[in-house]
């Protein structure tokens, strides 16, 4: 038990620099990427909006509930459902800012494949979400 505690403590303390760097990057993104900045990026067609939403969501990290609030504000400003569906999915599933921390814990190969699969599923699910909403309405 004592040996496991020491090993877990050493693992935790070795991750502290990555955790601090990740928190700092998240803070910078939250300050510099405002909803007004995001609203200027969209409105160039469904395909580009999905790709832009995916990229912006992948870079913007934080609590999932914040993505719903931001997406709601952007939809009120006229951004398409395709873009906001991709944005919220990428926000939660893809973490470009967190890749160094994730790779140090889970390995580079796992991190690469997890993010690629999350990227593909984000694009597909965002299309199917909007199509199903259109069919139901």
């Amino acid at each position: 038990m004592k040996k496991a505690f020491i090993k877990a403590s050493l693992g935790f303390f070795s991750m502290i620099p990555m955790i601090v760097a990740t928190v700092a990057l998240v803070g910078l993104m939250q300050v510099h990427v405002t909803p007004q900045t995001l609203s200027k990026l969209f409105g160039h067609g469904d395909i580009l909006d999905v790709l832009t939403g995916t990229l912006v969501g992948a870079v913007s990290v934080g609590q999932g509930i914040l993505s719903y609030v931001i997406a709601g504000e952007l939809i009120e400003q006229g951004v398409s459902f395709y873009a906001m569906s991709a944005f919220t999915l990428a926000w939660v599933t893809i973490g470009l800012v967190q890749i160094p921390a994730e790779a140090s814990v889970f390995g580079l190969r796992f991190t690469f494949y997890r993010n690629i699969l999350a990227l593909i599923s984000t694009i597909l699910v965002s299309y199917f979400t909007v199509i199903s909403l259109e069919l139901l309405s």
Side-chain angles (χ1 to χ4, degrees):
M1 179 81 166
K2 183 178 178 182
K3 187 177 179 182
F5 179 75
I6 291 171
K7 190 172 183 176
S9 298
L10 289 174
F12 175 75
F13 286 118
S14 70
M15 291 185 341
I16 286 179
M18 283 295 179
I19 293 171
V20 170
T22 301
V23 169
L25 284 173
V26 169
L28 287 172
M29 292 301 297
Q30 288 178 341
V31 169
H32 293 292
V33 180
T34 62
Q36 292 79 19
T37 304
L38 295 176
S39 69
K40 295 176 184 173
L41 297 173
F42 299 103
H44 306 289
D46 292 339
I47 294 173
L48 284 178
D49 279 357
V50 166
L51 295 176
T52 304
T54 301
L55 179 65
V56 172
V59 173
S60 306
V61 293
Q63 297 290 327
I65 194 165
L66 292 176
S67 69
Y68 304 138
V69 173
I70 292 171
E73 290 180 16
L74 291 174
I75 287 172
E76 287 180 6
Q77 293 179 14
V79 176
S80 71
F81 280 107
Y82 286 105
M84 289 303 94
S85 178
F87 172 77
T88 55
L89 287 167
W91 179 296
V92 176
T93 60
I94 303 171
L96 293 181
V97 176
Q98 301 163 333
I99 281 179
E102 184 179 348
S104 70
V105 174
F106 297 114
L108 190 59
R109 183 178 172 157
F110 173 83
T111 302
F112 174 77
Y113 284 117
R114 192 200 67 76
N115 279 288
I116 290 296
L117 290 174
L119 174 71
I120 293 168
S121 66
T122 294
I123 292 170
L124 292 176
V125 170
S126 65
Y127 274 109
F128 289 130
T129 300
V130 175
I131 289 170
S132 64
L133 284 174
E134 289 174 353
L135 290 174
L136 293 173
S137 62

